[in-house]
Amino acid sequence: MVEIRLKNSKSRRIEVLQPIEPGKVSMYVCGPTVYDRAHIGNARSAVVFDQLFRLLRHVYGEGNVTFVRNFTDVDDKINARAAEEGRKIADLTAETAQWYLDDTRALGVLDPTHMPRATEYIEQMVAFIEDLIEKDFAYARDGHALFRVRSFDDYGKLSGRSVDDMIAGARVEVAPYKEDPMDFVLWKPSADDIPGWDSPWGRGRPGWHIECSAMAHSILGETFDIHGGGADLLFPHHENEVAQSCAAGHGFANIWMHNEMLQVEGKKMSKSLGNFFTVRDLLDSGVPGEVIRFVMLSTHYGKPMDWTEKKRVEAEKTLRKWYAAAEPGDAVPEAVVAALADDLNTHQALAEMHKLDGAELGAALSVMGLWEGQVPEWAVSDGADLSAFAARLGTAREEAMQTKDFSTVDALKSALTDAGVEVRMSKAGVDLVPGPNFDPAKLENL
């Protein structure tokens, strides 16, 4: 069996995946808080861990991998958005959860084995908190239940911080119901106009961190193989998950994985900079889901990723070339599997695919989530002979270099561009790439 090696955020080392139950793998990944569309930063985590899911299924068999990705459907942001729009919270979360599924499926993301919603596990969360209080790792005060951070000696080991350093540099809430500023909320009171459930501490709702611990424990048991999420969750979310789960006596996750963040054209994504966009924004603008996924996979998950227009164009060009050369196949080349097994090195896997064609290329495209056995509609040129147009444009350019009259060249370029064809001219020649809005009908009379 293929040996899979993964970077463990907890040990900060590459480790061999050794499943707790031989031949079977369990994985939990923190999913979205559903109150709006997923932006492309959210999409990176979805694509990264989908790729790991696909690798695990390839190596261990589809029936031997259990993948859990939750929906957080109780949260202050959700409450605020529902109030702002005058909608029922349940209607908002149902709609936005479906948006998430629709948008990520368009990127080739498979549905996980389980997709639990936080509101379905309130009873388990209450029981979890009661156990922590009984063990003196948590306490109740003024309708709240809080975790005693200093009671857990290993707090900070996942993120590599000391409690004192955290207090000095962290944004911690100083509240009268806290014994210590670092203590974090497990349960909090709910006003009459927001969701709440009965508990030993009064009507309220869970804190964010307890949700994942309770759902992971309920579905995967006390110990499981892999826990994943974005690097922004390392602290405090994952640190708090470790503390409360281990304090309760659960071994929790053996390997922790975190994907790095995403930028746009070299800058942090921000609405104020005008470079913030959702997956749906890209899809609706004509960028195919396969192209978005390719760009995501072209950078190793452990490195910051930069979304650029140049990468989008190159990804589309490469995929068109591959789709033209691929045939359906099941035998994924060893070099591609080896790259993925080497800490999910998707960049290297894509590099190996440039050497392939036929059934080998088709099998590799499938395991990368880039092909379902037939060429996507957007990549079909509908019989347009773009090579003939490239030759005409090349000849026109050569003549124009002699006569200094570029009117014919400009007219051809304009017509091709209007038809949705990207025109690339260099010393090496003319390259015509059909874009997402390619309309071959506009070339019929050219």
Side-chain angles (χ1 to χ4, degrees):
M1 183 174 287
V2 175
E3 181 180 87
I4 297 175
R5 302 166 67 247
L6 301 169
K7 174 71 177 294
N8 189 343
S9 301
K10 192 170 186 178
S11 67
R12 294 157 183 78
R13 295 194 302 267
I14 300 287
E15 298 181 6
V16 175
L17 173 63
Q18 297 178 315
I20 296 164
E21 183 178 353
K24 294 189 175 183
V25 182
S26 51
M27 176 168 68
Y28 186 97
V29 173
C30 292
T33 299
V34 284
Y35 65 97
D36 206 345
R37 289 279 185 186
H39 57 67
I40 59 170
N42 303 138
R44 188 183 192 197
S45 182
V47 168
V48 163
F49 290 103
D50 174 75
Q51 190 59 59
L52 179 56
F53 184 35
R54 288 174 178 273
L55 171 65
L56 295 172
R57 283 160 48 112
H58 176 77
V59 173
Y60 291 93
E62 291 184 13
N64 294 319
V65 183
T66 302
F67 175 23
V68 181
R69 188 190 65 213
N70 72 294
F71 284 112
T72 292
D73 59 350
V74 52
D75 182 86
D76 290 345
K77 291 180 180 178
I78 296 172
N79 300 338
R81 179 60 57 86
E84 176 186 329
E85 298 181 0
R87 301 181 60 189
K88 292 181 179 179
I89 288 171
D91 292 343
L92 174 66
T93 58
E95 178 181 59
T96 50
Q98 190 60 51
W99 284 351
Y100 182 85
L101 291 175
D102 292 343
D103 293 350
T104 55
R105 286 167 181 165
L107 307 187
V109 174
L110 301 171
D111 287 354
T113 318
H114 301 280
M115 294 186 285
R117 295 172 184 250
T119 52
E120 300 169 344
Y121 286 81
I122 300 296
E123 183 179 339
Q124 291 88 336
M125 294 177 206
V126 170
F128 203 117
I129 297 168
E130 286 184 301
D131 183 49
L132 287 172
I133 291 175
E134 184 177 338
K135 292 175 177 175
D136 211 31
F137 285 103
Y139 58 95
R141 185 172 297 170
D142 298 339
H144 295 77
L146 300 106
F147 186 86
R148 283 191 177 95
V149 166
R150 294 185 188 273
S151 68
F152 184 68
D153 291 340
D154 286 342
Y155 193 84
K157 284 193 174 180
L158 177 64
S159 57
R161 313 178 184 198
S162 72
V163 175
D164 291 334
D165 287 343
M166 291 182 209
I167 291 176
R171 292 169 293 179
V172 293
E173 180 187 7
V174 178
Y177 50 80
K178 285 188 175 186
E179 292 180 354
D180 187 291
M182 283 301 296
D183 293 348
F184 60 86
V185 172
L186 302 169
W187 188 267
K188 53 189 174 184
S190 288
D192 294 338
D193 59 342
I194 60 174
W197 292 262
D198 291 334
S199 79
W201 319 289
R203 182 179 180 277
R205 60 198 190 281
W208 176 32
H209 314 301
I210 196 66
E211 295 176 12
C212 289
S213 285
M215 287 185 280
H217 179 254
S218 298
I219 300 171
L220 297 178
E222 292 195 356
T223 307
F224 52 95
D225 296 305
I226 302 167
H227 194 314
D232 57 323
L233 300 181
L234 183 58
F235 181 85
H237 186 49
H238 289 166
E239 191 71 72
N240 291 351
E241 277 190 67
V242 170
Q244 63 203 10
S245 293
C246 292
H250 310 151
F252 215 46
N254 282 349
I255 292 178
W256 285 83
M257 294 179 65
H258 294 89
N259 64 275
E260 275 296 339
M261 298 295 97
L262 178 146
Q263 296 180 324
V264 175
E265 301 290 352
K267 297 180 180 179
K268 183 178 180 180
M269 192 166 61
S270 167
K271 290 181 179 179
S272 63
L273 293 175
N275 66 350
F276 178 96
F277 41 88
T278 66
V279 175
R280 181 50 49 184
D281 290 335
L282 286 177
L283 294 171
D284 287 349
S285 71
V287 182
E290 295 90 346
V291 171
I292 299 172
R293 184 182 181 96
F294 186 105
V295 176
M296 297 278 183
L297 296 178
S298 64
T299 300
H300 188 275
Y301 79 90
K303 296 180 180 179
M305 185 206 136
D306 192 16
W307 174 277
T308 68
E309 178 63 12
K310 180 180 178 181
K311 288 181 180 179
R312 182 202 66 76
V313 170
E314 289 301 320
E316 186 168 321
K317 179 182 177 181
T318 298
L319 284 172
R320 286 183 185 277
K321 174 184 172 184
W322 284 353
Y323 291 143
E327 298 172 4
D330 298 319
V332 183
E334 290 183 6
V336 174
V337 176
L340 294 175
D342 182 17
D343 193 27
L344 205 64
N345 193 340
T346 53
H347 175 80
Q348 183 60 35
L350 292 173
E352 294 292 341
M353 289 167 63
H354 284 284
K355 308 172 187 176
L356 308 175
D357 61 12
E360 284 192 328
L361 179 57
L365 283 165
S366 294
V367 82
M368 297 295 286
L370 294 168
W371 199 41
E372 295 181 356
Q374 60 184 20
V375 180
E377 277 189 38
W378 63 266
V380 179
S381 63
D382 293 335
D385 187 2
L386 296 185
S387 62
F389 289 115
R392 283 178 58 187
L393 187 55
T395 299
R397 184 176 66 162
E398 288 179 7
E399 293 176 354
M401 295 295 288
Q402 299 297 323
T403 64
K404 306 303 179 183
D405 179 4
F406 286 86
S407 58
T408 301
V409 173
D410 292 339
L412 281 171
K413 285 176 62 178
S414 178
L416 288 163
T417 301
D418 184 57
V421 178
E422 182 182 352
V423 180
R424 302 176 188 170
M425 303 176 70
S426 66
K427 292 181 180 180
V430 176
D431 193 10
L432 303 182
V433 181
N437 299 314
F438 175 55
D439 183 0
K442 292 185 176 182
L443 298 178
E444 290 178 358
N445 298 319
L446 184 60

